[in-house]
Short mmCIF file of all heavy atoms in Angstrom, two decimals:
data_model
loop_
_atom_site.label_atom_id
_atom_site.label_comp_id
_atom_site.label_asym_id
_atom_site.label_seq_id
_atom_site.Cartn_x
_atom_site.Cartn_y
_atom_site.Cartn_z
N THR A 1416 -11.76 -16.00 -39.15
CA THR A 1416 -11.58 -16.01 -37.70
C THR A 1416 -11.50 -14.60 -37.14
O THR A 1416 -12.05 -14.31 -36.05
CB THR A 1416 -10.23 -16.75 -37.37
OG1 THR A 1416 -10.28 -18.07 -37.94
CG2 THR A 1416 -10.07 -16.88 -35.91
N LYS A 1417 -10.87 -13.69 -37.90
CA LYS A 1417 -10.75 -12.31 -37.42
C LYS A 1417 -12.16 -11.67 -37.29
O LYS A 1417 -12.46 -10.99 -36.28
CB LYS A 1417 -9.93 -11.50 -38.40
CG LYS A 1417 -9.70 -10.06 -37.99
CD LYS A 1417 -8.82 -9.38 -39.01
CE LYS A 1417 -8.52 -7.94 -38.61
NZ LYS A 1417 -7.60 -7.26 -39.57
N ARG A 1418 -13.02 -11.97 -38.24
CA ARG A 1418 -14.39 -11.43 -38.18
C ARG A 1418 -15.17 -12.03 -36.98
O ARG A 1418 -15.96 -11.34 -36.30
CB ARG A 1418 -15.16 -11.67 -39.47
CG ARG A 1418 -14.72 -10.82 -40.61
CD ARG A 1418 -15.66 -10.88 -41.80
NE ARG A 1418 -15.68 -12.17 -42.37
CZ ARG A 1418 -14.89 -12.58 -43.40
NH1 ARG A 1418 -14.01 -11.71 -43.88
NH2 ARG A 1418 -14.99 -13.79 -43.91
N GLN A 1419 -14.94 -13.28 -36.71
CA GLN A 1419 -15.61 -13.95 -35.58
C GLN A 1419 -15.14 -13.34 -34.23
O GLN A 1419 -15.95 -13.09 -33.35
CB GLN A 1419 -15.32 -15.44 -35.63
CG GLN A 1419 -15.99 -16.23 -36.72
CD GLN A 1419 -15.59 -17.68 -36.75
OE1 GLN A 1419 -14.75 -18.11 -35.97
NE2 GLN A 1419 -16.17 -18.44 -37.65
N ILE A 1420 -13.85 -13.11 -34.15
CA ILE A 1420 -13.31 -12.51 -32.88
C ILE A 1420 -13.88 -11.12 -32.68
O ILE A 1420 -14.31 -10.76 -31.59
CB ILE A 1420 -11.80 -12.49 -32.96
CG1 ILE A 1420 -11.19 -13.89 -32.94
CG2 ILE A 1420 -11.21 -11.65 -31.80
CD1 ILE A 1420 -9.67 -13.94 -33.16
N GLU A 1421 -13.93 -10.33 -33.73
CA GLU A 1421 -14.45 -8.98 -33.66
C GLU A 1421 -15.91 -9.03 -33.27
O GLU A 1421 -16.39 -8.25 -32.41
CB GLU A 1421 -14.25 -8.26 -34.96
CG GLU A 1421 -14.78 -6.78 -34.89
CD GLU A 1421 -14.52 -6.01 -36.15
OE1 GLU A 1421 -13.99 -6.61 -37.11
OE2 GLU A 1421 -14.85 -4.84 -36.19
N SER A 1422 -16.70 -9.94 -33.88
CA SER A 1422 -18.12 -10.05 -33.56
C SER A 1422 -18.33 -10.39 -32.11
O SER A 1422 -19.19 -9.81 -31.42
CB SER A 1422 -18.75 -11.08 -34.51
OG SER A 1422 -20.12 -11.26 -34.14
N ARG A 1423 -17.58 -11.37 -31.62
CA ARG A 1423 -17.71 -11.80 -30.21
C ARG A 1423 -17.25 -10.66 -29.28
O ARG A 1423 -17.89 -10.49 -28.22
CB ARG A 1423 -16.93 -13.08 -29.98
CG ARG A 1423 -17.52 -14.31 -30.67
CD ARG A 1423 -16.64 -15.50 -30.43
NE ARG A 1423 -17.18 -16.68 -31.08
CZ ARG A 1423 -16.66 -17.90 -31.10
NH1 ARG A 1423 -15.51 -18.06 -30.37
NH2 ARG A 1423 -17.19 -18.91 -31.74
N ALA A 1424 -16.22 -9.96 -29.64
CA ALA A 1424 -15.73 -8.90 -28.77
C ALA A 1424 -16.78 -7.79 -28.66
O ALA A 1424 -17.03 -7.29 -27.59
CB ALA A 1424 -14.43 -8.31 -29.34
N ARG A 1425 -17.37 -7.44 -29.78
CA ARG A 1425 -18.38 -6.38 -29.75
C ARG A 1425 -19.61 -6.81 -28.98
O ARG A 1425 -20.24 -6.03 -28.23
CB ARG A 1425 -18.76 -5.93 -31.17
CG ARG A 1425 -17.66 -5.20 -31.88
CD ARG A 1425 -18.12 -4.56 -33.17
NE ARG A 1425 -17.08 -3.86 -33.84
CZ ARG A 1425 -16.73 -2.60 -33.52
NH1 ARG A 1425 -17.38 -1.97 -32.59
NH2 ARG A 1425 -15.72 -2.00 -34.16
N ALA A 1426 -20.01 -8.09 -29.13
CA ALA A 1426 -21.15 -8.60 -28.38
C ALA A 1426 -20.85 -8.56 -26.89
O ALA A 1426 -21.75 -8.24 -26.08
CB ALA A 1426 -21.45 -10.06 -28.82
N GLN A 1427 -19.64 -8.94 -26.52
CA GLN A 1427 -19.24 -8.85 -25.08
C GLN A 1427 -19.30 -7.41 -24.57
O GLN A 1427 -19.76 -7.15 -23.45
CB GLN A 1427 -17.86 -9.46 -24.92
CG GLN A 1427 -17.38 -9.49 -23.46
CD GLN A 1427 -18.21 -10.42 -22.60
OE1 GLN A 1427 -18.69 -11.45 -23.03
NE2 GLN A 1427 -18.44 -9.99 -21.34
#
Side-chain angles (χ1 to χ4, degrees):
T1416 304
K1417 183 177 181 178
R1418 286 193 294 271
Q1419 289 176 357
I1420 293 173
E1421 181 176 2
S1422 177
R1423 290 179 182 179
R1425 290 189 179 279
Q1427 181 65 35

